Amino acid sequence: MASITGNKEMLAVSGGNSVYLLERKNGSLQTLEPPVEDIKITTKKVPKKGETSSEHADKHMACAALSSCGRYLALATCRGTKSLLIWQLEGQTWSLISQRPIGRAASKIRFTNSASRVLIADKAGDVYSFSVTEPTKEKEWLLGHIAMLLDVTVSDDEKYIISCDRDDKIRVARFPNCYNINSYCLGHTSFVTSLSFLPHNLCILVSSSGDGCIKLWKYLEGKELLSIPINKYVPALDGEILPIKQCSVFQVSPEASLMSVCIGSSSKCPIFKIDGTDNLQVKLLCTIGSEDQEVWCTQFTKDNSMLLMKNNKMRPVEVWSWDENYDFLLNQNETELYEKHSDTFQECFSCPSIPSMLYRKNYDEPADKVKKHS
């Protein structure tokens, strides 16, 4: 799935086999991509009947990440020779400092807090570490699951690594000695799509899932603190539970954080406020979005903005902000800067936001219901 990330100066959108950088001051666009010889389509995987190898490859999206310091950008390519590329910002120019093979398609890529490593979770269930400071060093295998991994993150103090998979599990292990498992967070009943630390209390983990719930955990103990059924706030038209694609969190005070939630094929993005450190309270602030335009993903930035990406031909990227009463307002001026690049971003929506392969097939279900998830 395509993603959006950013900081005060720029935003980065991944899609296809590239990452698109946009200057927030003037909306200028720069495209970073692998060398031409590395984007040739291979035929290692067999396309479905009636599909060309090029069409088969187009169903996969590159993963990108921006370091918290803003100096490094990483891209895990998904077509041709699958590679990890790392760029470093030197002045106003991005210079490619490393290109290393990754072997399998990545499902998630993240920098550690110190930006000394890039972690890649792949579709085979493994997590690898790549050094940023030693750009020619071979990758290091960290851990493996028996199911496809969907997200991975490391605590700010870089003592714990947390990974989640298609089989509903969240694993907490020591870092970098990941064979030392600390705990499991078990309670979701479908694939776990995203992991985040609650910013105002980093001892709490926030997870989202295909079961339609957001859960908050004391992750070192594997203890569930709170479960938020999103259908309670954004009901599905047919009454079915909608999967959650992603959630993003942002600290607004010493005892409160905001949380945005992207839901299945929904055009609505609910925004919550989470208060408290032990006795957690959750309040729905508002729901943003418009009809028939699926919200793809969101990301908060340190200048009190929220970046929103949606499947809209005219306006695929929006920037939102909020006032002291947490009323969310569209930043019309900045949003309009990105409209001129709308054609470029259409490639980002060429594959499903929730791949059908994440769903378990239940052969006792009616045929029309099985078909709906495939």
Side-chain angles (χ1 to χ4, degrees):
M1 188 180 83
S3 62
I4 189 168
T5 185
N7 54 32
K8 295 179 181 179
E9 290 77 33
M10 72 191 79
L11 60 87
V13 177
S14 66
N17 219 36
S18 309
V19 59
Y20 306 107
L21 292 176
L22 290 160
E23 292 287 338
R24 296 189 65 180
K25 288 182 179 179
N26 54 30
S28 63
L29 174 70
Q30 181 182 2
T31 302
L32 300 180
E33 55 191 358
V36 175
E37 61 268 18
D38 282 348
I39 60 175
K40 295 182 291 186
I41 301 299
T42 64
T43 55
K44 284 182 88 175
K45 291 189 177 181
V46 180
K48 291 182 180 180
K49 186 176 180 181
E51 208 178 39
T52 67
S53 57
S54 176
E55 290 169 339
H56 179 74
D58 283 344
K59 290 187 176 180
H60 301 279
M61 287 287 159
C63 297
L66 189 64
S67 66
S68 58
C69 62
R71 292 183 57 217
Y72 299 101
L73 179 72
L75 175 70
T77 63
C78 58
R79 303 173 189 171
T81 304
K82 297 177 180 66
S83 304
L84 170 68
L85 296 95
I86 301 175
W87 286 269
Q88 183 176 3
L89 183 61
E90 299 174 348
Q92 299 297 315
T93 305
W94 289 95
S95 301
L96 182 64
I97 62 170
S98 175
Q99 181 174 357
R100 285 167 279 185
I102 58 176
R104 296 181 182 273
S107 51
K108 190 69 177 185
I109 177 172
R110 288 204 193 236
F111 282 92
T112 56
N113 191 48
S114 63
S116 61
R117 303 183 187 217
V118 173
L119 304 182
I120 290 183
D122 69 25
K123 296 184 187 298
D126 295 309
V127 176
Y128 291 93
S129 170
F130 293 79
S131 174
V132 176
T133 55
E134 300 177 76
T136 60
K137 186 178 179 180
E138 290 291 316
K139 65 183 180 183
E140 176 188 357
W141 182 83
L142 294 180
L143 61 88
H145 287 226
I146 60 172
M148 179 193 301
L149 284 172
L150 299 179
D151 201 358
V152 64
T153 190
V154 174
S155 59
D156 275 11
D157 59 10
E158 300 188 13
K159 290 184 178 180
Y160 297 95
I161 182 171
I162 307 177
S163 49
C164 63
D165 63 29
R166 178 181 176 267
D167 284 351
D168 324 341
K169 289 188 286 296
I170 301 171
R171 182 197 294 180
V172 182
R174 301 279 180 169
F175 183 78
N177 300 319
C178 305
Y179 53 80
N180 192 345
I181 297 174
N182 185 84
S183 58
Y184 285 93
C185 298
L186 304 176
H188 282 298
T189 57
S190 188
F191 51 89
V192 184
T193 53
S194 72
L195 301 169
S196 304
F197 294 102
L198 189 64
H200 72 270
N201 186 350
L202 295 174
C203 295
I204 295 176
L205 180 75
V206 183
S207 63
S208 63
S209 170
D211 62 13
C213 288
I214 299 286
K215 292 184 182 289
L216 282 75
W217 312 81
K218 272 194 174 180
Y219 66 91
L220 292 181
E221 302 172 20
K223 179 182 177 181
E224 181 181 323
L225 299 176
L226 190 66
S227 184
I228 307 167
I230 293 299
N231 270 37
K232 176 181 176 181
Y233 303 95
V234 184
L237 294 177
D238 55 6
E240 286 196 2
I241 294 175
L242 289 173
I244 300 173
K245 295 179 287 198
Q246 176 245 13
C247 68
S248 181
V249 289
F250 182 77
Q251 185 173 358
V252 291
S253 77
E255 294 190 350
S257 296
L258 297 179
M259 178 176 69
S260 62
V261 182
C262 299
I263 310 165
S265 57
S266 175
S267 61
K268 306 297 183 184
C269 177
I271 310 292
F272 296 88
K273 185 168 178 272
I274 303 174
D275 287 289
T277 54
D278 294 319
N279 184 21
L280 299 170
Q281 302 292 324
V282 177
K283 177 185 178 182
L284 178 66
L285 296 177
C286 63
T287 300
I288 62 177
S290 53
E291 293 186 6
D292 302 324
Q293 297 169 356
E294 180 183 356
V295 175
W296 216 255
C297 55
T298 60
Q299 178 68 51
F300 290 100
T301 61
K302 291 181 180 179
D303 61 340
N304 291 355
S305 296
M306 188 185 77
L307 311 174
L308 183 146
M309 190 173 178
K310 62 181 181 178
N311 192 355
N312 183 298
K313 291 183 178 181
M314 300 301 295
R315 183 180 281 181
V317 175
E318 293 181 348
V319 182
W320 291 77
S321 57
W322 57 90
D323 60 22
E324 64 276 5
N325 297 316
Y326 300 109
D327 292 325
F328 273 69
L329 306 167
L330 179 66
N331 186 329
Q332 194 76 33
N333 292 334
E334 186 176 347
T335 297
E336 288 177 356
L337 288 176
Y338 309 135
E339 291 182 4
K340 58 187 175 184
H341 305 301
S342 58
D343 290 342
T344 303
F345 295 138
Q346 293 314 301
E347 182 185 21
C348 301
F349 307 109
S350 61
C351 69
S353 58
I354 298 284
S356 59
M357 61 184 170
L358 295 183
Y359 291 94
R360 295 192 186 99
K361 288 187 178 180
N362 184 351
Y363 294 99
D364 294 329
E365 287 184 346
D368 59 338
K369 192 172 182 180
V370 173
K371 186 177 179 181
K372 185 175 181 179
H373 292 311
S374 60

